[in-house]
Amino acid sequence: MRSTAPISSYDATPANRFWQTWALELTLTDTFLQVAIPTPLYQCFDYRPRCKEGVANGCRVLVPFGRRQVVAVVVGTASTTDVPANKLRSVLKVLDEVPVLPPDLLELLQWASRYYHHPIGDVLASALPVLLRRAAVAEVPRVECYRWLRAPLKPVNTRARVQADLLQRLAAASGDPVDAQSLSSVSRGWRKSLQPLLDDGAIERQDLDALPKNVATDTPPVLLDEQAIAVLAVAKTYGSFQPFLLNGVTGSGKTEVYLQCIDAVLARGEQVLILVPEISLTPQLMQRFQRRVSGCLVSLHSGLNNTERLQNWMIAAKGHADVVIGTRSAALVPLPRLGLIVVDEEHDGSLKQQDGFRYHARDFALMRARKQACPILLGSATPSFESLNNVSAGRYQELMLSIRAGGAQAPKLALLDIRRQKLFEGVSEPLLSAIGKHLSAGNQALVFINRRGFAPTLLCNDCGASSTCQRCDAHMTVHAKRRQLRCHHCGAERPQPSQCETCQSDALDFIGFGTERISAALQERFPDVTMARIDRDTTRRKGALEAQLHAATSGEAQLLVGTQMLAKGHHFPGVTLVGILDADRGLFGTDFRSLEHMGQLVLQVAGRAGREVKQGEVLIQTRNPDNPMLQTLVREGYAAFADAALTERKVAMLPPYAFVALVRAEATDATAPRVFLDRVIQELSNWQGPDLMTLGPAPAPMERLGGRYRAQVLIQSERRARLNACLKDLTGFIDSLPEARRTRWSIDVDPVDLF
Ligand code: ADP
Ligand code: ZN
Ligand code: ZN
């Protein structure tokens, strides 16, 4: 392909031609642009630049790729290339003058590409909002403004009232820009009257970036001692890297600590990044920040459309945003004035991306804080075992908040032994009577079951057949109101049969319980009570979650039933009783993190009880009341529970005492993943030894999902560097492996689950 470098000034006299051709070739062979293109390949691609000025790293360029044109990001330049001259193609268009990904962030993303063993092109694309991946212009939307310069030379026609009004408004702003919208309120024909003033030179047009400005309405409370100590400890580290674990029981005022740290960072003229697991589930949190922070506050989450997302992203990236509050991917946004990162609910699994570029937003944020030299505050009532281990190892400084703010007592936890108990639709009599007691005292009660739908299985009593999904190794959940069976793994749906699908018997039974069934049962038991069910099914409609949360917060709904959506940092002032129906599931989970997650979930749900004046009570139904882990959790609390569970992890050489990666493979036929992973294991035999172990190939805990068969290999090492080197070797090997093309495969470094 011919170069498209500019030759407009080409002087075609024979004497000049030699020199100019030579000079042109020199500049062209001098620099090739190395660009990252979103493909499954681990390499970058060389292109000829469009002009000899070169393009800065981190800028987007449009390049031909195969038969398509794609948006690529420049990651480097080189003076030589392996691509033969006749194959080398040229950049079609340079899309940015200023890099969309600044150098420090670009380097971090390149590091992440190596750490997570994910192709650089895809990593960089993940960091950009969708519209920038599609060649949109990278700019903040602008507002038309005008400003006063001096008194007009030509006297204003005083009878032209509109013109006089306009001039008066601009003069009153004494040189500050006034936006067109407020000028338009003077008169509909305001532009016509403005023109003579512009011509005169008395005023000028000056367009400004359109920025949301937030004004705080609430004043901060006086901090409790532990809160003040925390804020002070963080303040000592501004301008340098220091990780903190803010380990505070539910309701201890962690958010208040974030807010006061934010004030200090904004006073330093720096930006704050706040990562939260799921903003859409906690609209209260966003409102709280809006009430307290003055400045430019933007959010980044999945609820935004592409245009909104691009705007907020640009406002953050240009350094205009003072506070950026967002989910996972906000960790990847450029922030030139970054002064503090807060990761709220740092233990939450949704901070980990579960497909494509499988990064952990908390871990990426840590690297980022190090690179941009700022403190990072990880907050949780139930810290991840990784973070607790980092505290023990002296890598993080721990800040404790041990009492609830606002005078509330810690809730009392108790186990309810439900063996040999008669249950009413899965709920024991002691729990029912406790609910009755709390409700008649005028309080609210919350019942937690981490399963939506009516019942997880429909079973035939005659032939034993159950409602299995045709595409997964899983049961389909009964959704009684819609008379449907739904697979919660692949989304498949079919009508709920009235007869057994195998033997046509009428003797069908619902096995197990979900939120729909529990709330129906409780409504039957407490017919006069207003109930709210909060799960993904009841909150799908826009505004539905807000409405349900409002009912819960205001006390209008007295009895709440829900899934883990209810566990997420909500503040329901009137809730004094929490009942947990199915904690046992986490005790015997297949995953090495099941227990950790169970402990976190139980305490997070429990944390919804008694957040104001009245003491909260938490009743946990169990068939394993003697389980030592459950007992430790309930009697001694999270720290003791984590200690005990960490000892088990250490013995088993599991994270955080070792590092693991999971190689997953899936295909529509059952053999391809096995064949592929057998080759992987062969290759890994070079690496196996006392400091690197492998497990598998084995079928995934759910082998068939969405019509695909899945298998996996676990790689485990005490040494991060060894695991990393092994994975690097492995990706190179897989790249050239024909079997890899017959299956969909991925590498998950530091997986949060082995599902
Ligand atoms: P967490 O984030 O740890 O769950 P919050 O910051 O939401 O805790 O605080 C719990 C409750 O206590 C909130 O209603 C909050 O307004 C209140 N609170 C927090 N800190 C203080 C304080 N220093 N003085 C009075 N009330 C406080
Ligand atoms: Zn049957
Ligand atoms: Zn399914």
Side-chain angles (χ1 to χ4, degrees):
M1 185 152 170
R2 287 281 305 277
S3 157
T4 46
I7 45 169
S8 51
S9 61
Y10 198 78
D11 174 358
T13 59
N16 274 343
R17 196 178 297 148
F18 167 75
W19 288 108
Q20 291 206 346
T21 310
W22 179 77
L24 191 65
E25 260 168 16
L26 190 73
T27 51
L28 289 179
T29 49
D30 214 1
T31 51
F32 299 101
L33 293 181
Q34 298 171 315
V35 307
I37 294 175
T39 69
L41 300 171
Y42 281 83
Q43 70 193 86
C44 289
F45 299 86
D46 291 347
Y47 282 83
R48 280 202 183 102
R50 197 173 150 72
C51 59
K52 54 179 185 281
E53 273 73 41
V55 186
N57 291 350
C59 287
R60 293 169 305 149
V61 289
L62 192 68
V63 296
F65 188 71
R67 292 179 185 187
R68 296 179 298 144
Q69 295 186 356
V70 298
V71 174
V73 177
V74 177
V75 293
T77 48
S79 52
T80 58
T81 174
D82 297 338
V83 184
N86 61 343
K87 291 269 172 62
L88 196 64
R89 302 170 83 177
S90 298
V91 163
L92 299 170
K93 192 174 176 193
V94 176
L95 297 171
D96 302 309
E97 278 173 30
V98 180
V100 283
L101 296 171
D104 53 355
L105 183 59
L106 187 61
E107 280 166 26
L108 267 180
L109 291 164
Q110 286 170 308
W111 162 83
S113 157
R114 294 189 298 272
Y115 181 90
Y116 290 107
H117 298 275
H118 193 73
I120 181 68
D122 207 43
V123 169
L124 299 189
S126 312
L128 295 175
V130 170
L131 291 181
L132 291 188
R133 287 179 223 161
R134 294 189 202 144
V137 182
E139 65 183 11
V140 176
R142 294 175 75 83
V143 261
E144 177 188 356
C145 294
Y146 295 90
R147 66 187 200 101
W148 164 270
L149 294 174
R150 57 161 167 74
L153 299 177
K154 266 199 237 123
V156 176
N157 180 354
T158 44
R159 268 180 298 173
R161 189 191 49 81
V162 174
Q163 200 173 63
D165 275 4
L166 288 170
L167 195 63
Q168 201 209 332
R169 284 203 181 201
L170 288 161
S174 43
D176 286 342
V178 179
D179 64 61
Q181 205 193 344
S182 56
L183 293 179
S184 71
S185 65
V186 171
S187 153
R188 277 181 62 193
W190 65 282
R191 279 181 196 280
K192 224 162 140 198
S193 309
L194 201 70
Q195 195 55 48
L197 298 173
L198 284 164
D199 295 342
D200 181 281
I203 64 167
E204 69 169 5
R205 177 167 170 173
Q206 186 186 41
D207 290 357
L208 293 182
D209 287 350
L211 303 176
K213 280 271 179 252
N214 192 62
V215 181
T217 53
D218 289 6
T219 45
V222 176
L223 292 178
L224 301 176
D225 286 351
E226 287 179 318
Q227 287 176 315
I229 290 168
V231 171
L232 208 63
V234 179
K236 284 199 187 125
T237 63
Y238 289 134
S240 61
F241 171 62
Q242 174 64 50
F244 292 96
L245 176 65
L246 183 62
N247 188 351
V249 297
T250 50
S252 59
K254 293 183 289 296
T255 311
E256 192 54 50
V257 170
Y258 307 153
L259 286 165
Q260 305 227 357
C261 290
I262 291 169
D263 286 345
V265 176
L266 297 198
R268 288 170 54 88
E270 294 173 339
Q271 293 176 290
V272 183
L273 170 65
I274 299 159
L275 297 177
V276 294
E278 283 149 293
I279 290 187
S280 52
L281 296 186
T282 48
Q284 291 170 328
L285 186 71
M286 191 65 200
Q287 289 156 14
R288 191 159 162 202
F289 280 92
Q290 281 165 344
R291 285 199 305 271
R292 283 288 298 282
V293 179
S294 285
C296 180
L297 188 79
V298 295
S299 62
L300 285 167
H301 54 85
S302 57
L304 303 177
N305 65 33
N306 284 342
T307 311
E308 292 166 330
R309 193 170 175 82
L310 173 65
Q311 287 181 5
N312 288 357
W313 194 93
M314 286 307 307
I315 290 169
K318 289 251 155 137
H320 293 314
D322 298 308
V323 176
V324 177
I325 169 162
T327 44
R328 196 167 59 220
S329 67
L332 314 177
V333 176
L335 295 161
R337 301 185 284 125
L338 184 63
L340 172 70
I341 302 178
V342 172
V343 184
D344 189 28
E345 310 292 1
E346 65 88 30
H347 64 277
D348 197 298
S350 68
L351 288 165
K352 175 90 181 339
Q353 172 87 22
Q354 297 282 37
D355 54 17
F357 171 33
R358 295 161 187 263
Y359 66 100
H360 199 301
R362 175 197 61 214
D363 299 345
F364 188 85
L366 273 155
M367 289 307 284
R368 198 157 178 192
R370 179 190 294 274
K371 186 136 196 129
Q372 294 193 254
C374 73
I376 176 168
L377 194 50
L378 311 178
S380 178
T382 52
S384 65
F385 287 5
E386 273 76 8
S387 294
L388 291 175
N389 186 51
N390 279 321
V391 169
S392 310
R395 284 186 287 266
Y396 298 176
Q397 189 181 331
E398 187 173 34
L399 304 168
M400 295 287 280
L401 302 181
S402 53
I403 53 163
R404 282 187 155 182
Q409 299 285 306
K412 279 208 174 68
L413 273 64
L415 294 175
L416 271 183
D417 182 356
I418 55 167
R419 293 171 302 178
R420 294 178 293 275
Q421 285 257 0
K422 208 171 136 292
L423 300 181
F424 170 71
E425 293 284 83
V427 190
S428 63
E429 277 307 323
L431 181 55
L432 286 169
S433 73
I435 294 172
K437 216 173 71 206
H438 281 259
L439 291 181
S440 47
N443 299 322
Q444 287 168 284
L446 184 161
V447 174
F448 169 79
I449 175 161
N450 208 12
R451 248 191 187 134
R452 62 199 169 86
F454 188 80
T457 311
L458 185 65
L459 183 80
C460 171
N461 273 327
D462 279 338
C463 76
S466 58
S467 55
T468 47
C469 174
Q470 280 151 5
R471 290 149 48 86
C472 307
D473 293 331
H475 286 126
M476 292 187 88
T477 302
V478 181
H479 286 254
K481 188 160 166 243
R482 303 199 171 257
R483 301 201 63 75
Q484 264 187 340
L485 296 181
R486 279 193 215 154
C487 174
H488 288 182
H489 303 279
C490 73
E493 292 178 356
R494 59 177 190 260
Q496 179 189 331
S498 49
Q499 294 179 329
C500 170
E501 289 162 312
T502 309
C503 76
Q504 279 74 48
S505 155
D506 294 327
L508 294 179
D509 247 352
F510 300 112
I511 306 296
F513 303 91
T515 44
E516 191 186 357
R517 188 171 186 179
I518 296 296
S519 51
L522 292 175
Q523 187 73 83
E524 186 188 323
R525 190 66 178 249
F526 302 100
D528 304 327
V529 160
T530 311
M531 296 198 45
R533 168 157 72 99
I534 302 187
D535 58 31
R536 267 206 284 145
D537 298 317
T538 61
T539 55
R540 227 175 283 265
R541 227 172 0 92
K542 202 173 159 67
L545 176 68
E546 285 80 356
Q548 301 271 41
L549 288 178
H550 178 74
T553 312
S554 65
E556 178 194 326
Q558 297 150 285
L559 185 48
L560 319 175
V561 173
T563 57
Q564 58 173 332
M565 284 178 88
L566 276 180
K568 305 266 173 185
H570 302 296
H571 185 65
F572 305 129
V575 171
T576 51
L577 174 72
V578 165
I580 297 177
L581 299 190
D582 62 349
D584 285 351
R585 270 211 291 164
L587 289 177
F588 309 106
T590 47
D591 203 297
F592 75 89
R593 285 188 212 267
S594 301
L595 190 65
E596 176 183 355
H597 291 160
M598 184 276 291
Q600 290 165 344
L601 196 52
V602 164
L603 288 196
Q604 292 290 344
V605 182
R608 301 314 113 209
R611 290 173 67 92
E612 301 236 315
V613 190
K614 296 172 197 157
Q615 164 106 49
E617 182 180 4
V618 181
L619 297 175
I620 304 166
Q621 294 195 162
T622 177
R623 291 193 167 83
N624 301 278
D626 304 322
N627 181 287
M629 282 300 175
L630 204 51
Q631 288 202 352
T632 309
L633 182 70
V634 168
R635 298 211 181 123
E636 295 168 61
Y638 187 75
F641 164 79
D643 261 354
L646 274 164
T647 309
E648 288 187 355
R649 293 266 189 100
K650 194 164 194 170
V651 173
M653 277 318 293
L654 283 165
Y657 302 102
F659 306 103
V660 302
L662 198 62
V663 185
R664 294 190 177 91
E666 57 172 60
T668 45
D669 74 299
T671 48
R674 278 306 270 265
V675 171
F676 166 75
L677 289 175
D678 281 340
R679 294 300 310 270
V680 165
I681 271 293
Q682 268 171 25
E683 174 70 11
L684 288 174
S685 64
N686 304 325
W687 289 86
Q688 280 157 350
D691 62 354
L692 191 138
M693 287 180 296
T694 61
L695 205 72
M702 184 184 295
E703 185 176 11
R704 210 162 50 94
L705 180 89
R708 305 175 79 88
Y709 290 85
R710 308 174 322 139
Q712 57 197 35
V713 163
L714 187 75
I715 312 173
Q716 191 173 345
S717 175
E718 281 171 61
R719 288 171 49 217
R720 172 68 77 187
R722 179 120 179 104
L723 178 67
N724 200 28
C726 165
L727 291 173
K728 183 162 192 279
D729 175 85
L730 191 63
T731 50
F733 170 75
I734 294 176
D735 249 356
S736 62
L737 192 67
E739 286 88 343
R741 287 183 215 123
R742 286 191 275 281
T743 127
R744 197 190 286 171
W745 62 275
S746 64
I747 291 180
D748 193 351
V749 178
D750 309 332
V752 292
D753 62 51
L754 308 183
F755 204 59

